[in-house]
Amino acid sequence: GENVEQHPSTLSVQEGDSAVIKCTYSDSASNYFPWYKQELGKGPQLIIDIRSNVGEKKDQRIAVTLNKTAKHFSLHITETQPEDSAVYFCAASRGGSYIPTFGRGTSLIVHP
Amino acid sequence: GAVVSQHPSRVICKSGTSVKIECRSLDFQATTMFWYRQFPKQSLMLMATSNEGSKATYEQGVEKDKFLINHASLTLSTLTVTSAHPEDSSFYICSASMGQGGYGYTFGSGTRLTVV
């Protein structure tokens, strides 16, 4: 089955800095890679996703890059703000009826 | 976008009692719903997959008699924790799919269960 590794487990940055979270996956058939943000006491919310026919996708301060050859994808947050502080999960899936496999999460702390 | 509503958000119950958690898809029909359990500072652990009109599929190590799942309609799935014990205290999260599993994956807001 799929195995998703996520690093780092904790990331501490100053407000305004950039933050990068990296994930690797093992199943070369995976073609859908969503990222979720989970605030304390709440369920994960989808913030951005990318499919394997695209190498990069951007939405305002958030971007995701995908390297299918190396089987890794990354989340980039620029100009971080305190409200970006949360746990971020990456996931990989073959899409369709396949259940996504989640990484272990990254706790992002943005210091004002 | 797709919205999944989960209730209650918090529940405290006595040991030995049962607790029911509801998961509803508000603006779409969810052929498949999923139930996760999350321990503090840990990732999401898939407990079971709930398919409308059929029995749930439980992951290895999850007791089906303790965690009863019912998916009676295309918009509602329920998780009942039976004879709850303190070790069942956890954060339970549901998610729903529009039938495309890996693509349309939306989470509920979670339920914090505390068994005293």
Side-chain angles (χ1 to χ4, degrees):
Chain A
E2 176 69 277
N3 182 48
V4 176
E5 298 285 339
Q6 183 172 347
H7 298 280
S9 56
T10 305
L11 179 58
S12 184
V13 300
Q14 287 297 128
E15 183 176 1
D17 288 350
S18 293
V20 181
I21 302 170
K22 299 182 179 182
C23 289
T24 61
Y25 62 98
S26 60
D27 185 356
S28 57
S30 287
N31 59 12
Y32 177 62
F33 308 91
W35 286 88
Y36 292 85
K37 176 183 180 182
Q38 185 178 26
E39 297 178 342
L40 192 62
K42 297 183 180 180
Q45 297 296 309
L46 178 70
I47 55 172
I48 194 167
D49 56 15
I50 190 168
R51 301 199 185 192
S52 60
N53 58 343
V54 176
E56 182 175 355
K57 185 176 178 180
K58 191 173 182 180
D59 183 3
Q60 297 183 345
R61 296 187 296 108
I62 294 173
V64 57
T65 58
L66 170 66
N67 183 328
K68 279 218 77 177
T69 303
K71 293 208 272 296
H72 67 69
F73 55 113
S74 301
L75 177 71
H76 304 253
I77 306 174
T78 58
E79 299 172 30
T80 53
Q81 301 167 3
E83 50 265 39
D84 294 329
S85 296
V87 177
Y88 291 81
F89 291 98
C90 64
S93 168
R94 290 188 181 188
S97 61
Y98 289 89
I99 301 169
T101 299
F102 290 87
R104 296 181 67 85
T106 296
S107 177
L108 173 64
I109 303 166
V110 180
H111 299 280
Chain B
V3 177
V4 174
S5 174
Q6 185 174 342
H7 293 281
S9 58
R10 292 175 179 269
V11 59
I12 301 173
C13 72
K14 291 184 178 179
S15 236
T17 61
S18 295
V19 173
K20 181 184 285 188
I21 303 170
E22 290 190 350
C23 182
R24 293 179 184 274
S25 56
L26 296 187
D27 51 0
F28 67 101
Q29 292 185 329
T31 54
T32 309
M33 290 185 172
F34 307 88
W35 287 96
Y36 288 84
R37 183 173 180 175
Q38 187 177 35
F39 293 101
K41 296 185 179 180
Q42 293 196 22
S43 190
L44 306 158
M45 183 188 81
L46 180 65
M47 299 174 65
T49 301
S50 168
N51 297 296
E52 186 268 336
S54 63
K55 290 183 179 180
T57 303
Y58 290 81
E59 295 298 302
Q60 191 172 8
V62 178
E63 298 176 60
K64 56 183 69 176
D65 293 333
K66 169 166 258 321
F67 299 100
L68 299 179
I69 291 172
N70 185 281
H71 195 153
S73 75
L74 284 170
T75 59
L76 174 64
S77 176
T78 60
L79 167 68
T80 301
V81 183
T82 63
S83 187
H85 290 284
E87 56 265 30
D88 298 324
S89 298
S90 193
F91 193 56
Y92 293 88
I93 313 171
C94 70
S95 68
S97 163
M98 286 180 276
Q100 297 180 51
Y103 295 136
Y105 216 73
T106 304
F107 286 94
S109 54
T111 297
R112 171 69 61 192
L113 170 63
T114 303
V115 185
V116 298

